[in-house]
């Protein structure tokens, strides 16, 4: 993907690569704390509908969204579901 810097021409500028600091929670950390976490962060791409956590499972990861929304769904006994919360790039989700 690229950004048009001159809309009336074919001149474009490539987007900057993704950075953990695009997540507002990570960006708000003091520099020393961020540097301590940085080696443990991994950029992952997830497909729409990917299940990050099932109720009762052991937590394995923490996700810091950069450009997506993570929905938290409650599945009822009759099989219907309700979205009870969501996380954007200023927050995190444990899974």
């Amino acid at each position: 993907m690229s950004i048009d810097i001159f809309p009336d021409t074919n001149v474009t500028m490539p987007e900057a690569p993704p950075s953990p600091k695009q997540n507002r929670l990570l960006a708000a950390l003091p520099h020393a704390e961020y540097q301590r976490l940085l080696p443990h962060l991994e950029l992952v791409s997830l497909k729409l509908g990917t299940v990050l956590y099932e109720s009762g499972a052991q937590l394995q990861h923490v996700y810091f969204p950069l450009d997506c929304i993570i929905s938290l769904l409650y599945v009822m006994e009759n099989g219907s579901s309700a979205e009870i919360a969501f996380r954007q790039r200023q927050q995190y989700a444990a899974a």
Side-chain angles (χ1 to χ4, degrees):
M1 183 187 244
S2 59
I3 300 171
D4 290 331
I5 54 175
F6 300 107
D8 297 332
T9 69
N10 289 330
V11 177
T12 59
M13 183 176 83
E15 283 189 24
S19 164
K21 287 215 172 185
Q22 287 175 279
N23 177 279
R24 293 179 188 154
L25 185 62
L26 293 174
L29 290 173
H31 181 74
E33 296 298 319
Y34 176 77
Q35 290 301 314
R36 190 167 59 121
L37 284 176
L38 191 57
H40 305 285
L41 299 176
E42 176 185 350
L43 181 65
V44 295
S45 294
L46 302 171
K47 293 182 180 183
L48 180 65
T50 299
V51 175
L52 301 179
Y53 173 76
E54 289 283 352
S55 180
Q58 185 175 6
L59 295 176
Q60 299 293 320
H61 305 283
V62 176
Y63 293 87
F64 296 94
L66 301 181
D67 62 357
C68 65
I69 295 174
I70 298 175
S71 297
L72 303 176
L73 301 177
Y74 179 79
V75 180
M76 297 177 227
E77 288 181 9
N78 67 3
S80 62
S81 62
E83 185 174 21
I84 56 175
F86 63 89
R87 306 283 184 212
Q88 297 180 9
R89 63 185 179 136
Q90 72 265 23
Q91 299 175 347
Y92 71 96

